[in-house]
Amino acid sequence: MRLPVIRAHEDKQQPGAIVASLSIPWGTHLPADRPIGGYHLIWPRDLCEVASALVLIGDYPTAQRVLAYLDEVLQRQDGSFPQNAWLDGSPYWTGQQLDETAFP
């Protein structure tokens, strides 16, 4: 993935919130008025991978925004992270999945 594509996935009102994808693979099969989860959510595990890639290519400002977002918005009181969440940090799925909650 090229840097402009990664940057296009960052929310403009919630700096550092980079969604996994701007698409919903099953979007044409569900009603538009029903909020559904999918790749357009924040997935903390994937967001950490994106931050690592940003550091590797030298885009430190964006990586720092991601880390601030993880710390200030997504991280829970017990230090864990939701499996996935809306941009405001509200969890979508409430189950625990070890690699999603512990990896970040």
Side-chain angles (χ1 to χ4, degrees), residues 30-91:
L30 294 172
D33 63 346
R34 191 175 109 212
I36 58 168
Y39 299 126
H40 63 291
L41 295 169
I42 301 296
W43 294 74
R45 176 194 60 188
D46 299 346
L47 188 53
C48 288
E49 296 292 343
V50 169
S52 296
L54 291 166
V55 168
L56 286 174
I57 62 173
D59 186 359
Y60 300 110
T62 306
Q64 288 173 332
R65 288 195 305 271
V66 168
L67 293 176
Y69 173 76
L70 283 164
D71 181 46
E72 297 166 12
V73 178
L74 289 183
Q75 191 169 28
R76 297 174 175 161
Q77 291 290 342
D78 66 1
S80 69
F81 293 87
Q83 181 178 6
N84 52 33
W86 297 104
L87 294 172
D88 67 359
S90 302

Side-chain angles (χ1 to χ4, degrees), residues 14-32:
Q14 186 69 267
I18 299 177
V19 297
S21 175
L22 296 175
S23 66
I24 305 172
W26 51 89
T28 59
H29 301 304
L30 294 172

